[in-house]
Amino acid sequence: MEEKKWVISLSVLFLLFVYVLIHFEINANNIEKSVQKLQNREVETNKKLHFVLISQEFDNPYWRKVQQGADVAAKNYGVNVEYIGPLRTSPEEQIKLLEKAIASQVDGIIVQSLDEKTFAPVINKAVSQQIPVITIDTDAPKSKRIAYVGTNNFDAGEQLGRIVAEETNGVGKIGIIIGSEKSESQQMRLNGFLSVVRNYPKLIVKDVVSSNISIIQAKLQAESMLRNNKDISIMVGTSALDAIGILNASKNLKLNQVEIFGFDNIEGTLQAVQNESIKATVIQKPYEMGFQSVRLLIDSLHGKAINKENFTPTEVVTKETLIRRRNVEN
Ligand code: BGC
């Protein structure tokens, strides 16, 4: 009987020992895993953040300025910004690039959302995978993007409308070239423009067509518009390359009396404003858009609160403005 008690006691002790041993092993394992995780995280935090910037068109001079701003911000803040975009404007290509950025789990995405219906679901997919998205140039306000950086496009359209009304004394037949029918920012500019022109009964819009953001298309479209509407005395372009295309068309048709108004400050446009072959241009701040969007992504990844709408300023530039500027600089 005494012996049996001993055996039972020893067995209980043995079982206890095994239990403690197993627990110890499990704990040791867990600790090892935690350390490994911490080490991995440390390696990761030493890695530069990788952002992707998706433009409407890779080699477009306007988007190259956005890229410049983003590159300078990347250098200043020690992150990597990969600039990509379709060779020719194509929303489908942009969406593919967006999907690719999500698949490679980048740290942040900056994208022009050409139209909200197509872009919002993919933007939301990125955000649901903890990849913050900033829209640039064209917003998708109903999506889960963390912020927008760019022009207030309706206001900029109004600005264009006001300078046209002022320079033409509110009289003339107007032909309009927009960058793209698919682009919501272009539609907003057009609507802003029309909302002002509507107040001038002697300003009549004859036609609106798209250049597909190509100088050659802008020229061809402007030529056919001017041929078909001999009474057009004012031509307006609402994206970066349109005014130059219109100018080429009016030169080709020897219609020097047509007054041209445009958008943005690519070199050719500013030169033409200088020599008065373009009356005025509404300039945006693409460099600043690129810079700010990178800065805001970094701020948000560091847990700082950021504004949802970050409008960059626009400005009307005429020959007089250029002269005034030169005087200030001298
Ligand atoms: C617009 C951009 C567009 C570019 C095309 C700019 O005025 O803001 O959306 O991609 O023109 O040239």
Side-chain angles (χ1 to χ4, degrees), residues 53 64-83 287 290-291 294:
L53 163 58
R64 286 296 196 184
K65 281 192 186 154
V66 174
Q67 180 195 14
Q68 272 172 26
D71 280 351
V72 170
K75 235 189 219 141
N76 286 2
Y77 298 110
V79 299
N80 275 328
V81 176
E82 190 185 343
Y83 171 76
Y287 177 96
F291 191 96
V294 171

Side-chain angles (χ1 to χ4, degrees), residues 270-286:
L270 282 188
Q271 267 165 21
V273 170
Q274 177 70 42
N275 68 31
E276 287 177 287
S277 41
I278 290 179
K279 272 266 161 203
T281 183
V282 175
I283 65 172
Q284 307 186 78
K285 296 269 183 285

Side-chain angles (χ1 to χ4, degrees), residues 56 60 62-63 112 137 185-186 189 213 238-241 264 284:
Q56 182 170 359
N60 184 293
Y62 167 87
W63 285 100
Q112 180 215 33
D137 176 84
S185 57
Q186 289 293 302
R189 276 179 210 172
I213 68 165
T238 62
S239 77
L241 305 176
D264 295 304
Q284 307 186 78

Side-chain angles (χ1 to χ4, degrees), residues 9 12 24 31 67 78 105 125 144 151 161 192 199 203 207 220 223 236 264 270 273 287 293 302 318:
S9 306
V12 169
F24 177 77
I31 290 169
Q67 180 195 14
Q105 293 287 302
K125 179 175 166 185
K144 296 200 171 102
T151 295
N199 300 324
L203 279 178
D207 205 357
L220 294 175
E223 271 179 9
V236 168
D264 295 304
L270 282 188
V273 170
Y287 177 96
S293 52
H302 286 159
T318 59

Side-chain angles (χ1 to χ4, degrees), residues 3-21:
E3 202 176 309
K4 209 176 172 188
K5 260 191 189 165
W6 265 106
V7 171
I8 291 175
S9 306
L10 273 177
S11 307
V12 169
L13 262 176
F14 178 72
L15 282 176
L16 258 175
F17 174 72
V18 171
Y19 175 79
V20 170
L21 196 73

